[in-house]
Amino acid sequence: MTEEERNAWICFSCFVPIGPKRFSLLRKYFGSAKKAWEAKKESLLKIGFSEKLVSNFLKFREEFDFSSYFLRLGKLGIRALASEDKEYPENLKNIDNAPFLLYILGEISVKDSLSLGVVGTRKITTYGKEATEKLVADLVSFGLTVVSGLAYGVDSVAHNTALESGGRTIGVWAGGLDTILLGSRKNLVEKILKEKRGAIISEYPLGFSPRRETFPQRNRVIAGLSLG
């Protein structure tokens, strides 16, 4: 993939209304993300996009400062991984509407193809905590990576136990990675990254705050990364 093409993928990821389905349609119609990004209004309307969507996209394209965005990614140490890159998780490629771009902090390992998702309530009980710790410790002992959603309760216990047991863990966030670096989960994120045994990933661009509808989308990524 050329640098210009990769940049177009990143640009499209920043316009959230164009998700995996629409991005795939654009690439197929125009032949590349770069050509789609540069397309005129008339051509975009021919695909079947609504007038409102196209107008919003053209306004976004005109105002978007890619240079500043790219500098912010570099400053935060965040990488953008396209679905065509070798490092893109193979498990995730097999789901419907897989994210066409992932933002990553940390490292994804080949070992992470053997992953299980561990998720649950935010209002965890004493028994729930004990059960999660035992299950996760056992999973780690068999060499499995633990994938969860970085939420309070079960998710946090799963991530922490995986690390404390010497295993790997991947956290999937429902917003831009900069929003979690500044939030109340900062300590958990720093722990995962500091120990270099996992990664924090998201399909959402910098500055995008989690919303109610993005958590189910995050859950599909957790499921896609995991064998069960």
Side-chain angles (χ1 to χ4, degrees):
M1 185 185 299
T2 66
E3 184 178 351
E4 288 185 337
E5 179 68 4
R6 178 177 295 278
N7 290 347
W9 283 54
I10 295 173
C11 289
F12 270 115
S13 77
C14 295
F15 185 67
V16 176
I18 291 183
K21 278 187 177 180
R22 285 172 171 161
F23 181 72
S24 177
L25 178 62
L26 285 166
R27 285 184 66 216
K28 185 175 181 180
Y29 185 86
F30 291 103
S32 73
K34 182 179 181 295
K35 290 180 180 178
W37 179 258
E38 298 170 348
K40 295 181 179 180
K41 180 177 181 179
E42 296 76 18
S43 298
L44 293 168
L45 288 172
K46 284 181 180 179
I47 301 179
F49 288 176
S50 68
E51 179 82 33
K52 182 179 180 181
L53 176 63
V54 172
S55 296
N56 288 341
F57 170 69
L58 294 176
K59 183 175 185 295
F60 172 83
R61 186 175 70 181
E62 182 180 349
E63 297 175 350
F64 184 61
D65 185 348
F66 177 77
S67 296
S68 295
Y69 187 79
F70 189 77
L71 286 173
R72 286 177 64 203
L73 288 175
K75 186 176 181 180
L76 294 169
I78 297 172
R79 293 176 296 124
L81 190 67
S83 59
E84 294 186 352
D85 291 335
K86 289 183 179 179
E87 192 183 344
Y88 191 96
E90 284 294 326
N91 292 349
L92 192 56
K93 289 181 180 180
N94 296 323
I95 70 168
D96 291 335
N97 303 316
F100 61 88
L101 193 93
L102 291 175
Y103 291 97
I104 299 180
L105 279 165
E107 297 293 334
I108 293 178
S109 166
V110 175
K111 298 178 181 179
D112 298 331
S113 60
L114 293 175
S115 298
L116 279 181
V118 179
V119 296
T121 180
R122 287 170 170 79
K123 298 179 180 179
I124 193 169
T125 62
T126 300
Y127 169 75
K129 182 174 183 295
E130 292 174 354
T132 303
E133 289 172 342
K134 185 178 187 312
L135 286 168
V136 170
D138 285 348
L139 293 174
V140 168
S141 72
F142 284 100
L144 293 168
T145 296
V146 172
V147 183
S148 197
L150 297 164
Y152 297 115
V154 170
D155 291 22
S156 293
V157 173
H159 288 303
N160 279 305
T161 303
L163 294 174
E164 291 163 5
S165 302
R168 291 183 55 79
T169 187
I170 295 175
V172 186
W173 186 232
L177 292 185
D178 56 332
T179 66
I180 197 170
L181 288 173
L182 299 173
S184 57
R185 297 168 181 82
K186 181 181 178 182
N187 290 339
L188 173 58
V189 171
E190 289 180 343
K191 185 177 180 181
I192 293 172
L193 299 177
K194 183 179 180 181
E195 298 194 17
K196 296 182 179 180
R197 282 191 276 111
I200 308 297
I201 69 173
S202 174
E203 64 183 305
Y204 295 104
L206 298 184
F208 186 85
S209 297
R211 303 172 185 173
R212 177 177 293 181
E213 65 271 18
T214 63
F215 284 95
Q217 294 301 311
R218 175 208 60 180
N219 292 346
R220 94 186 193 288
V221 175
I222 294 175
L225 289 168
S226 308
L227 299 176

